[in-house]
Amino acid sequence: MVAPAALRETPPGNLAIVAAQLLARLIQEFPLGYVPELEWRNFRVTAGVAYYRAGRIALSRQVITDEDSLVVTLKHEYAHLLAVNRNGPRAAGHGPAWRTAMVELGLEPKVRHNYDVARNKPRQRVIYECLKCRQLIVKARKFPRKRAYLHVACGGPIRFKRVESVTVSNPVA
């Protein structure tokens, strides 16, 4: 089976090479009994994910932009695989087994990153109109159906008018 194009693409620069070398070193120093697969994904906010059942680590080519964030993220995800390998599936989270593995890997057991990311931006604007005062009301999502909605300002009924797409530029690419 051929991997989708999104999985075959590598990050900018030499980050893929550095990641492969670091993973090889981690496997040698802290063996798992298998070689985890490393893949690059288009996560917009998440830096990495460890899939312990599949023996795979996914890293974000959009969030990880330098070697420092790569090292911290890859070690973080490897610590998940190490914790589960040593203690079973109940150690999959950020509990004591993971914290111990993080310290062994030379990192502070920190759960969340603080890298610069492109947060989710609205992709559409939903326009409603008040039938009483004719004011337009802009929302990010459609209201649930089979309900009546009233305009807060005047009490008039509001009706769906249209959906406008919003172009989203991705500065982290």
Side-chain angles (χ1 to χ4, degrees):
M1 184 174 146
V2 176
L7 300 181
R8 288 192 306 256
E9 295 175 16
T10 56
N14 65 345
L15 289 179
I17 296 166
V18 173
Q21 291 170 343
L22 176 59
L23 183 60
R25 197 174 84 236
L26 290 171
I27 291 167
Q28 186 176 7
E29 293 177 23
F30 305 95
L32 295 169
Y34 64 92
V35 176
E37 181 184 336
L38 187 61
E39 66 182 28
W40 292 90
R41 307 283 297 268
N42 280 326
F43 301 136
R44 292 186 292 172
V45 176
T46 302
V49 178
Y51 301 99
Y52 67 91
R53 287 189 181 111
R56 188 170 67 237
I57 295 174
L59 299 174
S60 171
R61 71 174 64 85
Q62 293 184 24
V63 176
I64 298 173
T65 57
D66 57 43
E67 283 192 34
D68 291 337
S69 60
L70 170 67
V71 169
V72 170
T73 303
L74 185 55
K75 284 184 175 184
H76 175 113
E77 301 311 332
Y78 194 83
H80 282 293
L81 298 181
L82 199 57
V84 169
N85 185 268
R86 292 175 176 172
N87 302 291
R90 298 186 89 188
H94 294 106
W98 173 80
R99 292 179 185 280
T100 300
M102 284 288 283
V103 171
E104 284 180 41
L105 294 174
L107 294 176
E108 177 187 342
K110 195 171 131 186
V111 175
R112 290 176 182 85
H113 70 77
N114 58 354
Y115 311 144
D116 287 334
V117 296
R119 287 281 172 194
N120 294 340
K121 303 228 183 323
R123 294 186 184 112
Q124 67 179 8
R125 291 178 9 166
V126 181
I127 312 293
Y128 290 90
E129 182 180 21
C130 174
L131 299 178
K132 184 175 179 183
C133 68
R134 298 293 181 205
Q135 182 176 348
L136 295 180
I137 302 159
V138 180
K139 297 289 181 183
R141 295 189 178 115
K142 284 186 175 181
F143 290 138
R145 292 182 173 200
K146 297 186 180 179
R147 293 183 185 171
Y149 296 94
L150 301 176
H151 188 199
V152 175
C154 71
I158 57 175
R159 297 283 184 253
F160 171 78
K161 190 161 181 150
R162 67 181 177 273
V163 175
E164 297 175 349
S165 66
V166 176
T167 58
V168 177
S169 63
N170 189 1
V172 184

